[in-house]
Amino acid sequence: MKHLSLINEFREELTSLSREIENSSSMGHFDINKVCEDLVCGLFQELHGFTQLRNLNNEEKQNFPGIDLADDKARIAIQVTSTPSLGKIKDSISTFLRYSLNEKYDQLIIFILTKKQASYSQSAIDQIIQDTFLFSVTRDVLDFSDIAAKAADASPRVLDKAVNILRSYTRGCDAGLSDKDFDPPSDIFEKITANLVELYFPSTLYVADLIPEVLETSNGRKARNQRKQIRKFLTEMSISIPSDYEINGGKLITFHDLENRH
């Protein structure tokens, strides 16, 4: 079924991307995080229906304090990070409150690009919030596994759009361009001429033994360039042979019969 194929492709692309982010983060390379902000934005637009979600770092100013994505209509804010620690979540919430973003947004989502911890202390979060707004560690701390679960329940139309968004980031093509978009049209023909040359191997290989003196230079040393030495020797002896031959192990190897002067 097409729907099942989409689910499998979405899962595979997401797994590959998550692994790449983890490897980059472990090496201290965080440039991929900025790229993934737009990816997360697109996936939340399709899978969660936040149609007006936008990247604040692109539209308003770089390093927007406390949050990266926001949908003013849905009153949703999202912080995208590759750091899954409780300390990072506490810092994000503290910055969110310091800039009074809770007055504009009802929900703050912390999206972990790597893998979130098995559990977080809700009481530690509550000490920071102090009833200023509602933040649930089970509802508001998400990672790609939550995206995958959401995709599994999505309609085929929504899932197809989400898959295309993933493709645009993992394969470098624009969203909406699937493999079938690159197939050539069936009703247009073009005549081409290729400059190909047919190659074949003759049925007989000729091997000639070389006397040691042939491969020696004038001072009695073994020549480094044996083909050049052979050519020099034959010229001096007024002997002609085909130019396509190899020298190996004191033997001359060719596809041509050396007894045939034609």
Side-chain angles (χ1 to χ4, degrees):
M1 294 178 61
K2 179 66 174 179
H3 190 207
L4 183 58
S5 297
L6 285 173
I7 292 176
N8 291 335
E9 182 179 355
F10 187 88
R11 182 184 65 251
E12 292 170 2
E13 295 282 1
L14 207 59
T15 299
S16 176
L17 177 63
S18 179
R19 189 181 302 113
E20 181 180 355
I21 295 171
E22 287 186 14
N23 292 337
S24 297
S25 299
S26 64
M27 296 173 65
H29 299 162
F30 299 103
D31 291 344
I32 195 172
N33 293 11
K34 288 296 181 183
V35 176
C36 286
E37 288 177 3
D38 289 330
L39 169 63
V40 172
C41 183
L43 292 178
F44 269 83
Q45 285 175 343
E46 296 301 334
L47 297 176
H48 287 267
F50 300 150
T51 56
Q52 297 187 23
L53 190 68
R54 68 193 193 282
N55 190 332
L56 300 177
N57 295 319
N58 292 338
E59 297 190 8
E60 298 197 15
K61 71 174 184 177
Q62 290 188 345
N63 298 320
F64 193 93
I67 55 178
D68 298 305
L69 316 174
D71 185 328
D72 294 345
K73 181 178 180 180
R75 296 179 63 86
I76 296 291
I78 302 176
Q79 169 72 31
V80 181
T81 179
S82 59
T83 305
S85 66
L86 176 62
K88 175 62 178 179
I89 293 176
K90 292 166 65 176
D91 289 342
S92 297
I93 294 175
S94 297
T95 304
F96 184 79
L97 295 175
R98 187 184 315 126
Y99 286 89
S100 302
L101 295 174
N102 57 304
E103 298 177 1
K104 188 174 183 179
Y105 303 106
D106 297 329
Q107 183 181 2
L108 170 64
I109 295 174
I110 310 294
F111 189 84
I112 310 297
L113 289 171
T114 51
K115 185 177 182 181
K116 64 183 179 181
Q117 296 179 179
S119 63
Y120 294 94
S121 172
Q122 183 66 52
S123 59
I125 300 298
D126 292 340
Q127 291 179 6
I128 299 174
I129 295 175
Q130 296 294 327
D131 297 327
T132 52
F133 80 111
L134 180 62
F135 185 93
S136 169
V137 293
T138 56
R139 183 194 66 170
D140 300 324
V141 181
L142 307 176
D143 62 11
F144 281 126
S145 64
D146 298 292
I147 289 287
K150 191 73 174 178
D153 295 330
S155 67
R157 180 186 61 82
V158 170
L159 182 57
D160 185 57
K161 290 184 178 181
V163 169
N164 283 330
I165 291 173
L166 267 179
R167 287 174 183 156
S168 70
Y169 285 86
T170 59
R171 304 182 187 179
C173 63
D174 293 336
L177 293 182
S178 60
D179 292 340
K180 62 179 180 295
D181 295 310
F182 295 97
D183 290 337
S186 58
D187 56 342
I188 298 178
F189 297 92
E190 181 179 359
K191 190 174 183 179
I192 64 172
T193 301
N195 57 338
L196 302 180
V197 177
E198 182 180 2
L199 299 179
Y200 67 95
F201 290 100
S203 58
T204 306
L205 184 68
Y206 295 89
V207 180
D209 292 317
L210 298 172
I211 58 176
E213 291 80 4
V214 175
L215 301 177
E216 293 179 356
T217 61
S218 57
N219 57 9
R221 294 182 179 180
K222 189 174 183 180
R224 297 183 61 182
N225 189 329
Q226 295 184 352
R227 281 181 55 88
K228 184 177 180 180
Q229 180 63 23
I230 286 288
R231 193 160 52 246
K232 179 182 178 182
F233 176 84
L234 294 174
T235 301
E236 293 175 351
M237 298 294 293
S238 299
I239 299 175
S240 62
I241 67 169
S243 61
D244 45 341
Y245 60 86
E246 287 294 333
I247 306 298
N248 192 324
K251 299 179 183 298
L252 185 148
I253 306 170
T254 180
F255 286 119
H256 297 278
D257 184 357
L258 299 178
E259 299 291 340
N260 187 347
R261 296 305 173 189
H262 300 289

